[in-house]
Structure formats: structure tokens, C-alpha cells
Amino acid sequence: MRLISFINALLVIVALYLLVFERDALFAFAGRGDAETETLSETDSEEVNTLASKAIGVVALRSTAREIDSAVLLRGQTKANRQVEVLSETTSTVVSEPKRKGAFVEAGDLLCELDPGTRHASLTEAKAAQLEAQSRVPEAEARLEEAHALVAEAEINLKAARKLSETGFGSETRRISSEAAMSTAQAGIKSAEAGLEATQAGIEAASAEVAAAERELERLTIEAPFRGLLESDTAELGSLMQPGSLCATVIQLDPIKLVGFVPETEVNRVIVGSLASAQLVTGLQVEGRVTFLSRSADETTRTFEVEITVPNPELLIRDGQTANIQIAAEGVKAHLLPQSALTLNNDGQLGVRTVGAENVVDFKPVRILRDTSEGVWIGGLPETTDIIVVGQEFVTRGVTVAPTYREASQ
């Protein structure tokens, strides 16, 4: 069996050799003349040339660019306009009934009220000390006036003693005694002035004590800093509050912010004040304006934070919802094509295949500007271009095609 198989294989090899390499000799042996062989060769050549010259049929779209509003597309989330944890500044127990989370509060509404304890007594004591300090002012001023009078008297005596001493009617001892009295009177003025300053300082210290006592009483009522919603319950009745203890968390959702991050390739297209719109995951469409654009990129993602302020009077938008954001930018020229017209070249670059001069295929890289239900808007092409929309996957650059054109609406 093995021998028969080997012989069959050998015969097949010999037959193939004769058909390929000894074709003319084989035809001559079979009785075909040179003329017949020549005719057959010419016919085969014509068939090959006909097949080679036959172009591939494709469907092309003659597209003209139109100007569209090129929006910057982002994915972000909603964020409360303001959020604060209202903390206690003093130590005491809560004496007010708690408010439950979700409740609406106005600026200045009472959130937590604390037990005053002896703070009113402390304020009264501080005010009494202030009055006592103020009552010492007339006495200090009277001492200062008395000191000035003593100086005037000592000055008169000193002048008289000097004149008598110069004319020889008064002793030198009297003159020296008058000068000493003058120095004592001047020292008395300085002492009275110091006493008055000490009295004024006592008044200021007492006033500071009064202000501290009043501020301590103000800390007993913890109020809402702005209009918003309670994100947590206020402190429970009877709970002990210390400096830094949480009374409540208040958030402001009207207006609300949309926060996203712009890639560095698109950041120059975003302008503060530009119109923006967004669609939330709930399907709600909202509109607002860009109110902030970061000047510093994130070190990890190399993106720039952008904030859009959106009115939310009915509080339909919640904090932390995912949003697809579109920021209006300067208009650009673009082509509307079916998504199926897009293809990749051998380098993995996204683009379209076009029909050029003499119906030769070319590849043009493009960028997607917007994806809609009607098709995709692409940029990076000339204003008028013949784009292959059917058959582009079966041709490559440099191939000649026979395009059939269709209208853009088809």
C-alpha cells in the first residue's frame, strides 16, 4: 500500500512539472501546432489585461462641509453650590428640639440652642466691673488737675525766690527749696497722668470682659449660615456640645454647579461665561453658564477643572448626579456622514477613504466633532470631498475604483 501511494505521488509531481515547465513540449507532443499555441497565449493575455483593468465598484458621497456649533463634550457630575458643617464654638448641652434632615432652612434660622448656665451672671459681673472702672475716671482727672495746680504754685514761688536771691533780700536756701518743690510738683503731674492711663486701661479691660461674655452668650444659639437644606439631623436634645461638635450639615442646591474636567487639547476653546447644557442620567436637560475654569492642571490627569452654574429653583437636581456636559465653542466646518463610513488604516488611525483624481482611492484622517442620531459630524477634511460610504473596507490607498455617487439625503 505504501509503495502504491508513493508511486501515485510521483506521477502527480511529474504531471505538474510537465504542465508548468514543459507546457509547449507537451502541447507539441499532443499534436497542437505552434500557431495554435500562439493564439491561445494571446487570448490568455487579453483576458488577464481585461481583469487587471476592471475597476472596483464603490458607492461615494459628494459631501460639502457645513458650519456647526462645535461643543466641548465632557462627563462630570453635579455639586452643591455651598456645603458647610455647622459646629459648636462652646461647651454646653442642647436645649432645643432637633430638626430632621431634608428640612428647608433660611439664613439665620435656629439650628441648635444651648443651655446658658451661669453665662448671664458672668455678663452682669463684667458690666459691673466696667462701671466701677469708669467711676474712677473723675478721681484720676481731679488728681491730674491738682498736680497741674501745684506745679503752677511751685513755679510762682520759684520765680519769687530767684528774684529775692538775686537782689540779696532772700536766702539761697529758700531758692533751692523752691526749685525742689517745683520738681516735686512736676513729678506729681506724671504720677497723675499715669493714674489716669491706668484707669483708662481698666475700663478697656472691663469692656473686653463684657464683649467676651456677650460673645459667649451669642454662641449659645447656632444659626443657619445661608438658605438651604439640612443634609443631617441637628444635634439631639440633651446632647453635650463641645467646641468642634457637629450641630448640622447645610447644603445649598439653588443654584447648583456642574463640575467636569477639560483635556488640555480643548481647554483653549472654553471661555468663562460661555453657554453650556447638560443631560443628567435621569434624562433631565439643564442649561447654565461657565463660571470657573482652572488655571492649573491636575498633576495626574493633566486636565483642567471647569464649573458651570445652573439654576435649580425646584431642587430637581441633586448633589452628585452624573451629567453629560456640552460647552458651546466657536463654530467649525464639518461633514455629516453615516458612522459606517469611518474606517481605520493599517496604523490604527481613524479616517475615511475618498475618491481622488482619476478615481484613485486615498485615506484621510479625521476627528469626530459630534455624534448625533443623523450621523457623525467630522472635521479635518477639505470643504468638498468625495467620501466612499459603501465598499471602503474592500479598497486601499492607490486602488482605482468605479464610484457610484448618491445624494447626502439617501
Side-chain angles (χ1 to χ4, degrees), residues 362-384:
D362 194 9
F363 179 84
K364 300 288 187 182
V366 299
R367 66 179 186 277
I368 297 178
L369 301 178
R370 188 181 301 171
D371 190 357
T372 66
S373 58
E374 301 175 354
V376 290
W377 290 93
I378 61 173
L381 296 176
E383 187 166 349
T384 301

Side-chain angles (χ1 to χ4, degrees), residues 38-75:
E38 241 175 69
T39 303
L40 181 63
S41 298
E42 290 176 359
T43 302
D44 292 343
S45 299
E46 288 177 0
E47 290 179 356
V48 171
N49 292 334
T50 301
L51 291 174
S53 61
K54 186 176 182 180
I56 300 174
V58 295
V59 178
L61 174 68
R62 182 156 293 168
S63 176
T64 301
R66 288 176 283 173
E67 186 168 347
I68 64 168
D69 179 18
S70 177
V72 178
L73 305 180
L74 307 174
R75 190 172 179 85

Side-chain angles (χ1 to χ4, degrees), residues 354-365:
T354 62
V355 180
E358 299 181 358
N359 294 336
V360 176
V361 175
D362 194 9
F363 179 84
K364 300 288 187 182

Side-chain angles (χ1 to χ4, degrees), residues 142-165:
R143 288 178 181 174
L144 181 59
E145 290 178 1
E146 182 182 1
H148 280 290
L150 291 175
V151 168
E153 182 182 357
E155 187 177 2
I156 294 172
N157 292 334
L158 179 59
K159 288 181 179 179
R162 285 176 177 174
K163 286 183 179 180
L164 291 174
S165 178

Side-chain angles (χ1 to χ4, degrees), residues 76-80 256-259 280 317-321 323:
Q77 64 178 8
T78 60
K79 185 177 180 181
I256 197 168
K257 293 187 291 186
L258 303 178
V259 181
L280 306 183
I317 309 173
R318 302 174 184 271
D319 181 28
Q321 289 184 291

Side-chain angles (χ1 to χ4, degrees), residues 16 54 119 174 182 212 231 235 257 285 322 395 402:
L16 291 175
K54 186 176 182 180
R119 289 176 175 83
R174 182 179 178 182
M182 182 64 179
E231 188 66 9
K257 293 187 291 186
Q285 292 279 353
T322 303
V395 295

Side-chain angles (χ1 to χ4, degrees), residues 33-324:
D34 293 341
E36 188 177 358
T37 303
E38 241 175 69
T39 303
L40 181 63
S41 298
E42 290 176 359
T43 302
D44 292 343
S45 299
E46 288 177 0
E47 290 179 356
V48 171
N49 292 334
T50 301
L51 291 174
S53 61
K54 186 176 182 180
I56 300 174
V58 295
V59 178
L61 174 68
R62 182 156 293 168
S63 176
T64 301
R66 288 176 283 173
E67 186 168 347
I68 64 168
D69 179 18
S70 177
V72 178
L73 305 180
L74 307 174
R75 190 172 179 85
Q77 64 178 8
T78 60
K79 185 177 180 181
N81 187 44
R82 287 193 288 182
Q83 178 171 340
V84 64
E85 293 181 343
V86 186
L87 307 178
S88 173
E89 298 181 76
T90 188
T91 302
S92 188
T93 56
V94 179
V95 294
S96 60
E97 290 292 335
K99 296 180 183 294
R100 299 306 176 188
K101 56 186 176 183
F104 187 82
V105 294
E106 295 283 350
D109 283 358
L110 179 66
L111 299 179
C112 298
E113 184 177 1
L114 307 182
D115 183 14
T118 60
R119 289 176 175 83
H120 287 292
S122 299
L123 176 59
T124 302
E125 182 181 359
K127 288 182 177 180
Q130 184 183 32
L131 291 174
E132 182 182 357
Q134 290 173 347
S135 66
R136 294 173 184 169
V137 173
E139 181 182 356
E141 290 177 346
R143 288 178 181 174
L144 181 59
E145 290 178 1
E146 182 182 1
H148 280 290
L150 291 175
V151 168
E153 182 182 357
E155 187 177 2
I156 294 172
N157 292 334
L158 179 59
K159 288 181 179 179
R162 285 176 177 174
K163 286 183 179 180
L164 291 174
S165 178
E166 290 174 357
T167 57
F169 292 100
S171 64
E172 187 68 19
T173 304
R174 182 179 178 182
R175 183 185 65 80
I176 294 173
S177 177
S178 298
E179 289 178 350
M182 182 64 179
S183 299
T184 302
Q186 290 176 343
I189 289 179
K190 292 182 180 180
S191 177
E193 289 176 346
L196 182 59
E197 290 177 359
T199 302
Q200 296 290 349
I203 293 174
E204 292 179 1
S207 299
E209 290 291 334
V210 171
E214 291 175 343
R215 182 70 183 96
E216 186 67 15
L217 283 173
E218 291 175 358
R219 291 171 178 164
L220 297 176
T221 54
I222 304 175
E223 300 174 347
F226 50 79
R227 185 172 181 264
L229 295 171
L230 289 179
E231 188 66 9
S232 65
D233 293 341
T234 60
E236 189 60 57
L237 175 65
S239 58
L240 176 63
M241 304 290 286
Q242 295 180 345
S245 297
L246 178 65
C247 169
T249 301
V250 184
I251 62 173
Q252 186 182 67
L253 297 180
D254 183 27
I256 197 168
K257 293 187 291 186
L258 303 178
V259 181
F261 292 88
V262 185
E264 55 186 338
T265 55
E266 302 281 344
V267 68
N268 287 338
R269 300 177 59 205
V270 178
I271 301 174
V272 174
S274 299
L275 288 173
S277 62
Q279 182 176 15
L280 306 183
V281 291
T282 58
L284 181 64
Q285 292 279 353
V286 295
E287 293 184 352
R289 289 188 178 273
V290 177
T291 53
F292 171 76
L293 178 61
S294 174
R295 292 285 180 177
S296 176
D298 183 272
E299 294 183 357
T300 304
T301 62
R302 310 305 303 167
T303 56
F304 296 82
E305 183 178 7
V306 61
E307 291 183 359
I308 300 158
T309 302
V310 175
N312 187 27
E314 298 180 1
L315 305 182
L316 298 178
I317 309 173
R318 302 174 184 271
D319 181 28
Q321 289 184 291
T322 303
N324 293 319

